[in-house]
Amino acid sequence: MPLRHIRLKDFGIKDEDIKQLIEMGFEAWQQRYESVINQPHNDESMWFLKDCSRDNAQDLLNGAPTGTFLIRARSAGHYALSIVCKNSINHCIIYETESGYGFAAPYNIYRTLKKLVEHYASNSLEEHNDTLTTTLRIPAVYWYQNKETITQQLQEEMEMERQQQHQVELEQQMQEHMMLPPPIVASAPIAVAGSAALMHGNNDMAASQTPPTATPPQAHSYGSSSGDNGSSNL
C-alpha cells in the first residue's frame, strides 16, 4: 500500500473515500465531502425508520414537499423507499443482495443504505422510475422537525427560480427584437424652393407663346355706279 494511503487512513479516511480523493483531486473531494457531511442525510436517524409501516409512512409524508423520503424495513423482506413526488407518495423496493443494495440488478452496488442515499441525494430517481423526477432531497424526520424553516427556504428558492425564468424571457425577447428588420419609415415629399414661382413663370411663358388670334378681313361696300354705265336699257 502506498505511503500516502497509510497516512490518509491514519486520519480515519476510508479506502473508498481515498479512492475518490485520488480520482477527483483534493479540492473537489473536499467540497463534496463538506456538502455531504453537513447534510441531514448524514444522520441515518433522520431517514431510516426500520419499524415504520407503510401506513405510518403515508401519515408521516402526507403534505410534505417533493423529495421528502424515508427508508423502512419490509415485512416481506428487503427494504422500501417511501418518497413524495408531485404530491404523490410512492413506495419502491430496495433489494439487499450479496453485491449490495439497490433498486434493481445490475444496480445493486451500494455497500450500505447510507451510500445509496448519498448517491441519490444528488442523482435523480428517474434512473429507475420515469415518474420519480426528484432526488432524495429531504429526510422525513428532518422535515417533521423543521417544517417552517424548510417551507421558507423552498419559497425563497421558488421565487429565485421565478426571477431567473423572468430574466431569461426578457433576454429572449430582446434577442428576438434585435433580429427583426428595422421599420420602414415613409419619407416626406421633397420641397423644391421657389416651385410656386417656377410654376407661375411657366404659365406666363405658356401665355406668351400662344399664337395671336387672326383678325378677320374687313368687309368693303361697293356702291352702284351712276352715269351711263349705271343701268342698261333693255
Side-chain angles (χ1 to χ4, degrees), residues 47-58 61 70-75 77-83 89-94 113:
W47 49 264
F48 184 51
L49 305 179
K50 183 177 180 179
D51 298 325
C52 181
S53 66
R54 182 187 178 103
D55 291 339
N56 289 339
Q58 291 277 149
L61 296 174
L70 62 86
I71 293 178
R72 54 188 174 82
R74 297 175 69 245
S75 57
H78 302 290
Y79 295 89
L81 168 70
S82 299
I83 185 167
I89 301 174
N90 304 268
H91 306 276
C92 308
I93 298 177
I94 299 175
L113 289 173

Side-chain angles (χ1 to χ4, degrees), residues 24-196:
M24 299 172 61
F26 179 75
E27 291 185 2
W29 178 85
Q30 185 180 30
Q31 290 178 357
R32 180 181 179 277
Y33 179 80
E34 290 177 352
S35 65
V36 170
I37 204 69
N38 292 327
Q39 285 183 339
H41 302 62
N42 193 52
D43 184 354
E44 294 185 22
S45 65
M46 293 287 103
W47 49 264
F48 184 51
L49 305 179
K50 183 177 180 179
D51 298 325
C52 181
S53 66
R54 182 187 178 103
D55 291 339
N56 289 339
Q58 291 277 149
D59 293 338
L60 187 59
L61 296 174
N62 186 34
T66 291
T68 307
F69 74 98
L70 62 86
I71 293 178
R72 54 188 174 82
R74 297 175 69 245
S75 57
H78 302 290
Y79 295 89
L81 168 70
S82 299
I83 185 167
V84 180
C85 184
K86 299 176 182 177
N87 299 320
S88 176
I89 301 174
N90 304 268
H91 306 276
C92 308
I93 298 177
I94 299 175
Y95 295 97
E96 181 182 8
T97 67
E98 293 181 356
S99 59
Y101 295 89
F103 294 106
Y107 302 103
N108 302 327
I109 58 175
Y110 302 99
R111 184 166 49 86
T112 63
L113 289 173
K114 186 176 180 180
K115 289 297 181 183
L116 181 146
V117 169
E118 288 178 358
H119 174 78
Y120 288 104
S122 56
N123 295 276
S124 177
L125 290 165
E126 286 180 285
E127 293 179 359
H128 302 290
N129 190 323
D130 293 339
T131 63
L132 296 179
T133 55
T134 182
T135 60
L136 302 183
R137 190 175 185 187
I138 308 171
V141 177
Y142 184 76
W143 155 253
Y144 187 78
Q145 295 175 348
N146 302 274
K147 286 184 179 181
E148 293 184 2
T149 302
I150 295 173
T151 300
Q152 183 177 355
Q153 290 175 349
L154 293 175
Q155 290 175 347
E156 291 174 354
E157 290 178 6
M158 291 176 62
E159 177 62 21
M160 185 176 297
E161 290 177 359
R162 188 192 67 79
Q163 292 178 359
Q164 291 175 348
Q165 180 63 29
H166 181 64
Q167 183 65 28
V168 170
E169 292 175 356
L170 287 178
E171 292 176 357
Q172 290 177 346
Q173 291 176 2
M174 291 179 63
Q175 291 178 355
E176 292 174 357
H177 180 72
M178 292 174 65
M179 293 174 64
L180 292 175
I184 300 175
V185 180
S187 58
I190 300 175
V192 179
S195 58

Side-chain angles (χ1 to χ4, degrees), residues 3-42:
L3 180 60
R4 60 182 178 180
H5 284 206
I6 297 174
R7 289 178 177 176
L8 289 172
K9 292 189 71 172
D10 289 341
F11 287 97
I13 301 177
K14 299 177 182 179
D15 290 336
E16 183 177 351
D17 293 329
I18 292 174
K19 181 180 178 181
Q20 290 180 347
L21 189 156
I22 295 172
E23 292 176 351
M24 299 172 61
F26 179 75
E27 291 185 2
W29 178 85
Q30 185 180 30
Q31 290 178 357
R32 180 181 179 277
Y33 179 80
E34 290 177 352
S35 65
V36 170
I37 204 69
N38 292 327
Q39 285 183 339
H41 302 62
N42 193 52

